[in-house]
Amino acid sequence: MFLEKKKIIIAIDGYASTGKSSQAKLLANFFNYSYIDSGAMYRAVTYYALQQEPKGEINFQLLLKSLVNIKIDFLYTIKGQQTILNGKNISKKIRSLEVDSQVSNVASNEHIRFFLTTQQKMMGINKGIIMDGRDIGTVVFPSAECKFFLTASPEIRAKRRYNEQLKFGIKNSYNEVLQNIINRDYMDTSREVNPLKKAKDAIAIEVSDLSLYEVFQLLKTEIVSKLKN
Ligand code: CDP
């Protein structure tokens, strides 16, 4: 573990399934920082909305009225970060293809983004935090000391997500997973409010040919150098 008095904010943004969360977890462990998966918050709101309208259609009018009733917490266990929605552990449920296919639609709504980014900004008030997502370096923490932007080919990302879902006991075809990743990339980069884009001062890393450990080493080295300066 790395112990350093100076605390900074680390933002990791990038395309779907580039390993942002895995890196954030490893780094949080190494630097003894807290870790927030902002995507899990958008997924939790999407899951809530799908419970309201089980036919798979999001009723935005109803959802926006219900935002006051949505409380998202994170619990840290040996199994990793658990996402708690109104007291219920929904960590597995938010990884379903149903949530995958609606989350970018929900995340394109400006009121929902405001609702979640306000909470995310508060989480960084004492620094010593790593957050991953789509708009962390651009909107949530524009003055984060360390920003990364991860990219990889859609096929590699789909393969990775497919295997990850199998581990969760979720069986979707590789093609469904790939299509979802392509759709989400498109929606996330083209939406009007806080689209996915690299912050000017973010370090871009193409991870297609790198192992988890190699990426971790790259990020760790950058962070250590920021902490020493
Ligand atoms: O893990 P993966 O990269 O597949 O996605 P995620 O981080 O769980 O995020 C799921 C979705 O939430 C993304 O496709 C975005 O539509 C949305 N999101 C966002 O708009 N802004 C964030 N800061 C994080 C996620």
Side-chain angles (χ1 to χ4, degrees):
M1 192 190 287
F2 186 90
L3 291 173
E4 167 78 47
K5 272 210 187 104
K6 180 177 166 187
K7 297 276 177 210
I8 60 170
I9 293 184
I10 301 160
I12 307 182
D13 288 304
Y15 291 88
S17 214
T18 39
K20 303 178 297 292
S21 301
S22 309
Q23 293 301 334
K25 270 178 229 163
L26 290 171
L27 292 166
N29 222 357
F30 183 80
F31 289 100
N32 198 21
Y33 272 28
S34 53
Y35 156 60
I36 301 290
D37 170 2
S38 70
M41 300 173 79
Y42 289 92
R43 286 174 181 273
V45 173
T46 305
Y47 175 76
Y48 184 95
L50 288 168
Q51 297 292 104
Q52 282 184 318
E53 289 288 326
K55 279 189 205 128
E57 288 275 310
I58 304 286
N59 179 338
F60 277 97
Q61 231 180 351
L62 182 62
L63 177 59
L64 293 182
K65 269 198 222 147
S66 322
L67 286 181
V68 284
N69 300 321
I70 298 182
K71 186 165 181 323
I72 302 165
D73 294 296
F74 291 119
L75 196 72
Y76 297 88
T77 70
I78 0 181
K79 282 196 201 154
Q81 178 189 272
Q82 304 292 306
T83 309
I84 313 295
L85 171 68
N86 294 335
K88 267 200 187 152
N89 191 335
I90 54 156
S91 308
K92 190 174 164 188
K93 294 194 168 103
I94 57 171
R95 304 290 154 192
S96 70
L97 197 63
E98 202 189 3
V99 171
D100 268 348
S101 61
Q102 286 293 342
V103 64
S104 293
N105 179 24
V106 169
S108 65
N109 182 282
E110 64 174 313
H111 303 289
I112 291 165
R113 298 205 73 82
F114 180 74
F115 174 67
L116 293 180
T117 52
T118 308
Q119 296 176 40
Q120 291 156 5
K121 285 177 189 195
M122 289 301 294
M123 294 169 183
I125 214 146
N126 294 323
K127 298 207 175 189
I129 187 171
I130 305 181
M131 195 176 285
D132 81 280
R134 301 292 188 285
D135 58 347
I136 310 306
T138 49
V139 175
V140 179
F141 299 128
S143 41
E145 290 83 352
C146 228
K147 299 182 187 177
F148 300 104
F149 191 83
L150 307 189
T151 59
S153 79
E155 290 74 18
I156 285 187
R157 292 186 281 132
K159 210 165 143 190
R160 189 186 203 135
R161 182 50 50 93
Y162 173 78
N163 288 329
E164 194 180 286
Q165 288 186 341
L166 278 185
K167 264 197 252 156
F168 266 108
I170 302 170
K171 277 191 196 132
N172 296 308
S173 76
Y174 166 81
N175 282 335
E176 274 176 316
V177 177
L178 176 64
Q179 200 47 56
N180 172 262
I181 279 184
I182 294 171
N183 292 347
R184 277 198 294 136
D185 283 353
Y186 174 72
M187 289 186 76
D188 292 345
T189 48
S190 61
R191 69 174 171 235
E192 271 174 39
V193 204
N194 311 357
L196 164 66
K197 66 171 182 223
K198 181 186 158 308
K200 280 201 187 88
D201 52 347
I203 300 168
I205 303 178
E206 161 60 48
V207 302
S208 295
D209 298 322
L210 300 176
S211 68
L212 194 71
Y213 181 71
E214 286 169 323
V215 180
F216 172 70
Q217 289 300 333
L218 281 175
L219 304 186
K220 189 184 89 180
T221 307
E222 281 298 331
I223 298 167
V224 169
S225 92
K226 277 274 157 36
L227 284 169
K228 296 235 183 269
N229 286 325

